[in-house]
Amino acid sequence: MGKYSNHQLTVIQDPKTLKQIKNIYQAPTLIVVSSPDPGQLEFVDAGIIVHNMELAAENEGLAANYNMACLTSLPQAVVPAGMTPCFAVTLGHTKEKLTTRDIDIKRIPVNWIKEG
């Protein structure tokens, strides 16, 4: 709905700060999406924002990883005043070759409701 004021991005690249954060797999960049007094919609929106960043990063040849496990270990000083961290993404270069995977579409059951 274009309510961009509902979220704020914090980009962390300072090695000293990154060392204080758990579960980021030595990534050189962490982007945290925060929201003031988030409800369910803000958490969903934050996930969508991170998902789009992850897709854009991989399109540019970067490794990216959705990350909520790091949020509890964020130093208080990096969280903007009045904001609550909702979701994060780690970004960096990788020596591994990124390849397209074939994923079985039947791995999630589908209940179809059709006319007639």
Side-chain angles (χ1 to χ4, degrees):
M1 297 176 67
K3 296 183 179 180
Y4 300 108
S5 62
N6 286 356
H7 298 286
Q8 184 168 344
L9 303 180
T10 301
V11 180
I12 304 167
Q13 293 182 314
D14 174 53
K16 186 177 177 182
T17 302
L18 290 168
K19 284 183 183 178
Q20 298 174 52
I21 303 169
K22 297 178 182 176
N23 302 309
I24 61 167
Y25 315 104
Q26 301 173 333
T29 301
L30 175 67
I31 302 175
V32 180
V33 181
S34 299
S35 180
D37 193 30
Q40 184 177 3
L41 182 59
E42 286 77 21
F43 279 98
V44 170
D45 285 348
I48 293 168
I49 291 167
V50 165
H51 178 70
N52 281 297
M53 286 191 287
E54 190 268 346
L55 291 173
E58 287 188 2
N59 193 51
E60 294 297 320
L62 294 171
N65 183 50
Y66 304 114
N67 194 315
M68 290 182 79
C70 71
L71 299 180
T72 58
S73 65
L74 290 173
Q76 187 61 36
V78 305
V79 179
M83 302 298 272
T84 300
C86 298
F87 220 119
V89 61
T90 54
L91 302 169
H93 292 281
T94 182
K95 293 178 181 158
E96 294 183 32
K97 182 177 169 51
L98 301 177
T99 57
T100 303
R101 296 182 298 157
D102 289 323
I103 297 176
D104 182 6
I105 63 170
K106 294 180 182 178
R107 71 182 193 176
I108 299 175
V110 176
N111 183 33
W112 290 92
I113 308 209
K114 295 183 175 185
E115 183 180 3

